[in-house]
Amino acid sequence: MKTNTKTMRTIMFLSLAIAMVLIPANTATANEFMQNRKEYETALNHATILTARLKQDTENIQNKTIVTRDDDNATRIAREALQSQLTEATKIHMSQKEKATVFTVSSLTDKTVESNNRIHSLIRSIDRTAKSVDTAIASHKLDDMRKKLADMVDKGKRILESSNGNVDDENNRDKLSDLLEKAKDLMESTDVKTMSVDVSELDKLINKVSDDMNARQSRIGQERQQSVVAASYSQASDTTNGNYATTRSNYGSYTPIQSTPRGYYSSMSCNLTSAADHCQGAVDGGGIVDLNYGNGHVYAQHNNTGGAWINNLQAGQTFIMNGSTYRVNGQSVQGAHYAPGSGDWMQTCNGNGNHLVGITKIS
């Protein structure tokens, strides 16, 4: 068979042309695949980093979802929103590496990048919501502290007014007045810590001024009691100066009758129970102490602190105690060891121990 030279040349030319076209194309496809696979691996590495960060962020802010008793509505809403996002985060799974081929590498990369974008968006949302929880808590604390400061300022103003002229020492009142002026400038402040300190200091000064008022009242009461005691000594030792007149009763005995009742006042009171040993301390402090034991009162005073006049009370004698008039009813208990069962009594000490004198309220 005779070879057609022209035909052979045509075939060789076409083969060479095809080879020249195919070689660059194959080379380009291989390079593109390598690039796509590199992008896929980069996306997978990014997925690992994002998933780890999401897990760490979720653990770090989990406590911000816990509702507390002091939360207001804004704080509760922010906590609920954060909890919803954290729940969504638990459903996120890191993209797993799959075998990439020239046919699948692009789609795998796109899927991984899409997953990464979702994780990244969720991380940003969780961060914003966590900050909104902090903001709500801070706002609530600020509002609460401003209210506490306002209430304390009002309380301070009231006691400053009521204590005017009712304390012996103006030092604490002056300090309270200065702090109240300072507190006015803090009412619109956002410095919760400073406001908290001022609230605490105001409370302390208010209590000190209140104590100063009580101290003055106690002093006045003691001075009044001392004056009454001095008068009672004079009254008890002088039965010829017109304070008492003796008259014969229907039963033939002599009963002293006081023509002008004298006034006495208890300086403090105490509930007399089986466990009330502190009442003894009150009596030891001096002055007349009103011991309330449920069925009546025992007005007690040591004989060596002005109560000796009680030993001189006699049946029929009248006197005023705390603004009420009492008459000595003739009952007398020497050496008493227990509180009486009922009724009102005066009590002091003498050579026989405790001395109880029965009294009856008549007006």
Side-chain angles (χ1 to χ4, degrees), residues 11-28:
I11 292 172
M12 290 177 62
F13 176 77
L14 290 173
S15 298
L16 180 60
I18 291 171
M20 291 177 66
V21 172
L22 289 178
I23 290 174
N26 290 338
T27 302

Side-chain angles (χ1 to χ4, degrees), residues 231-243:
S232 68
Y233 275 126
S234 174
Q235 180 189 63
S237 61
D238 185 2
T239 59
T240 62
N241 60 5
N243 287 333

Side-chain angles (χ1 to χ4, degrees), residues 11-294:
I11 292 172
M12 290 177 62
F13 176 77
L14 290 173
S15 298
L16 180 60
I18 291 171
M20 291 177 66
V21 172
L22 289 178
I23 290 174
N26 290 338
T27 302
T29 300
N31 289 338
E32 183 179 354
F33 172 68
M34 293 296 292
Q35 180 63 32
N36 288 343
R37 189 169 66 179
K38 184 177 180 180
E39 291 176 357
Y40 176 48
E41 290 175 351
T42 300
L44 286 173
N45 290 335
H46 194 203
T48 302
I49 295 172
L50 286 175
T51 305
R53 179 182 170 184
L54 179 63
K55 181 176 182 297
Q56 187 64 51
D57 288 355
T58 300
E59 292 175 352
N60 289 343
I61 63 176
Q62 184 66 51
N63 64 323
K64 293 186 180 182
T65 65
I66 300 174
V67 177
T68 68
R69 185 170 53 185
D70 294 333
D71 285 350
D72 59 358
N73 288 335
T75 304
R76 282 192 292 271
I77 291 173
R79 290 191 195 278
E80 290 171 0
L82 181 60
Q83 181 60 64
S84 176
Q85 291 174 344
L86 295 185
T87 300
E88 182 181 351
T90 62
K91 301 175 182 178
I92 298 294
H93 299 288
M94 184 179 70
S95 298
Q96 299 298 318
K97 185 175 182 180
E98 300 181 34
K99 184 177 180 179
T101 68
V102 68
F103 302 105
T104 62
V105 66
S106 294
S107 62
L108 289 175
T109 301
D110 291 342
K111 184 173 70 173
T112 304
V113 169
E114 182 181 355
S115 175
N116 289 349
N117 290 338
R118 181 186 174 195
I119 295 174
H120 194 248
S121 176
L122 185 57
I123 289 174
R124 290 198 303 268
S125 295
I126 289 175
D127 182 62
R128 286 195 299 268
T129 307
K131 289 179 179 177
S132 72
V133 172
D134 293 337
T135 300
I137 292 174
S139 178
H140 179 51
K141 286 183 177 180
L142 178 60
D143 291 342
D144 185 57
M145 188 54 64
R146 282 176 174 171
K147 184 179 184 304
K148 287 181 179 179
L149 181 60
D151 291 344
M152 195 61 69
V153 167
D154 288 342
K155 184 178 179 181
K157 288 179 179 178
R158 289 195 300 271
I159 197 166
L160 193 65
E161 181 179 353
S162 63
S163 64
N164 186 22
N166 291 317
V167 296
D168 292 332
D169 187 345
E170 294 286 333
N171 182 47
N172 288 324
R173 287 191 77 253
D174 291 340
K175 290 181 179 179
L176 178 59
S177 179
D178 292 342
L179 191 54
L180 286 173
E181 286 297 321
K182 176 185 173 184
K184 291 180 181 178
D185 299 331
L186 280 176
M187 296 303 293
E188 300 301 323
S189 171
T190 58
D191 189 347
V192 174
K193 184 176 181 180
T194 300
M195 283 192 287
S196 177
V197 171
D198 272 27
V199 167
S200 178
E201 290 301 316
L202 279 171
D203 187 49
K204 291 178 182 178
L205 282 173
I206 287 171
N207 289 332
K208 287 181 179 180
V209 172
S210 178
D211 290 342
D212 289 344
M213 293 173 65
N214 291 334
R216 184 175 189 273
Q217 292 174 357
S218 178
R219 176 186 62 76
I220 292 174
Q222 289 178 0
E223 290 176 353
R224 179 189 299 165
Q225 187 64 41
Q226 290 171 358
S227 175
V228 170
V229 168
S232 68
Y233 275 126
S234 174
Q235 180 189 63
S237 61
D238 185 2
T239 59
T240 62
N241 60 5
N243 287 333
Y244 294 90
T246 56
T247 59
R248 185 177 297 275
S249 71
N250 293 333
Y251 298 97
S253 62
Y254 287 94
T255 304
I257 302 298
Q258 185 177 356
S259 59
T260 305
R262 295 298 184 97
Y264 300 89
Y265 296 88
S266 58
S267 58
M268 62 187 70
S269 62
C270 179
N271 289 327
L272 187 62
T273 65
S274 59
D277 293 337
H278 61 282
C279 291
Q280 181 62 50
V283 176
D284 292 343
I288 299 176
V289 179
D290 178 4
L291 305 177
N292 182 355
Y293 64 99

